[in-house]
Amino acid sequence: MLRKLMAATLLIGCLSFGVRHHGWSSYDQTKTLDFSCTVETLKYENPHALVNVKAKDKTWLVYLAPITRMEARGLKQEMIKKGSTVRIVGYPHKEVKDEMRAERIYVGENKYELR
């Protein structure tokens, strides 16, 4: 019984991760986006941090790197605050409108490589 419960728990965990995590091939690396924007929300959780930003009259959902990678490179959660201005360079999703994956983010004068 315990083995079945553990197997079910593992399966549910894997399925929930699979739904949230997707491959980077879904993003068009031939179309680089580069813009300054205002942070609206930040979800600082694994498998990737997510940020909603507003650039001009458009809101984007931006996938950042895993938290451990960002922190190892010096980018901490408190540096991306609601209302702050950041510059994001990345690629648009091939099918999902207003979604992108960030390659790098500039906070103030500092550049953080995310890949």
Side-chain angles (χ1 to χ4, degrees):
M1 180 68 165
L2 181 59
R3 283 186 182 180
K4 287 182 182 180
L5 180 60
M6 288 174 52
T9 302
L10 179 62
L11 178 62
I12 290 169
C14 290
L15 289 174
S16 67
F17 178 77
V19 169
R20 292 189 54 196
H21 191 266
H22 47 82
W24 295 130
S25 64
S26 301
Y27 296 88
D28 188 348
Q29 295 184 35
T30 66
K31 298 178 183 172
T32 302
L33 301 171
D34 183 344
F35 54 79
S36 290
C37 50
T38 304
V39 175
E40 293 190 332
T41 62
L42 171 67
K43 268 191 163 178
Y44 204 74
E45 60 186 35
N46 285 313
H48 300 277
L50 298 171
V51 65
N52 281 297
V53 297
K54 188 158 189 154
K56 299 182 184 176
D57 292 330
K58 188 173 189 174
T59 301
W60 289 89
L61 171 63
V62 182
Y63 278 81
L64 302 175
I67 294 165
T68 53
R69 183 180 308 153
M70 292 192 309
E71 289 183 347
R73 294 178 181 174
L75 183 59
K76 309 290 185 208
Q77 178 178 2
E78 58 273 8
M79 298 167 73
I80 307 172
K81 296 179 183 174
K82 181 178 180 174
S84 64
T85 300
V86 296
R87 178 178 159 209
I88 295 178
V89 179
Y91 306 118
H93 195 282
K94 291 178 181 176
E95 297 174 7
V96 180
K97 183 181 174 187
D98 304 335
E99 180 181 309
M100 69 181 288
R101 134 186 164 202
E103 285 293 307
R104 68 193 56 85
I105 185 169
Y106 295 80
V107 179
E109 298 296 318
N110 298 313
K111 174 175 79 170
Y112 301 93
E113 293 291 338
L114 301 178
R115 301 287 157 237

